[in-house]
Amino acid sequence: QVQLVESGGGLVQPGGSLRLSCVGSGFTFSMYAMSWYRQAPGKERELVARITSAGGSTNYAGSVKGRFTISRDNAKNTVYLQMSSLQPEDTAVYYCNTNRAYTDYWGQGTQVTVSS
């Protein structure tokens, strides 16, 4: 079965950086686009970044463009989200996602808290 396991969240000061990782299993990782979403308290889940299967194309939410970078290592079945210049409004649970046969799969999420 498809499994996505995120790691790398934590508490960071404003202006700091974090790198999230998501390891996928149970499917042919290299064949699928991967995405990062986030959900802040009281808000809807939103798309943060997406990367195509081979990593040749990426897109970002306007709020993170220029600060976040999504990348992947298909040899390690891993997708990353490098986050820099973090701000309190980036505080959220971050989820890894893929869509396979019209079904969304999600990880358990990793908490990112930006606070001084």
Side-chain angles (χ1 to χ4, degrees), residues 15-69:
S17 299
L18 278 177
R19 188 176 82 156
L20 306 183
S21 300
C22 170
V23 179
S25 61
F27 65 108
T28 307
F29 186 85
S30 61
M31 291 182 63
Y32 293 91
M34 298 295 298
S35 301
W36 285 97
Y37 284 74
R38 68 185 180 186
Q39 188 166 20
K43 295 189 176 182
E44 292 188 356
R45 195 171 294 190
E46 63 171 353
L47 176 65
V48 175
R50 183 179 183 273
I51 187 167
T52 52
S53 57
S57 180
T58 57
N59 14 50
Y60 298 91
S63 58
V64 307
K65 198 172 292 185
R67 300 188 298 122
F68 290 12
T69 302

Side-chain angles (χ1 to χ4, degrees), residues 38-46 88-95 111-114:
R38 68 185 180 186
Q39 188 166 20
K43 295 189 176 182
E44 292 188 356
R45 195 171 294 190
E46 63 171 353
E89 52 266 34
D90 296 314
T91 295
V93 178
Y94 283 72
Y95 296 93
Q111 176 71 47
V112 172
T113 302
V114 185

Side-chain angles (χ1 to χ4, degrees), residues 2 4 33-35 37 45 47 50 96-107:
V2 174
L4 300 171
M34 298 295 298
S35 301
Y37 284 74
R45 195 171 294 190
L47 176 65
R50 183 179 183 273
C96 182
N97 164 274
T98 193
N99 185 285
R100 180 171 175 260
Y102 305 104
T103 299
D104 275 314
Y105 294 89
W106 302 92

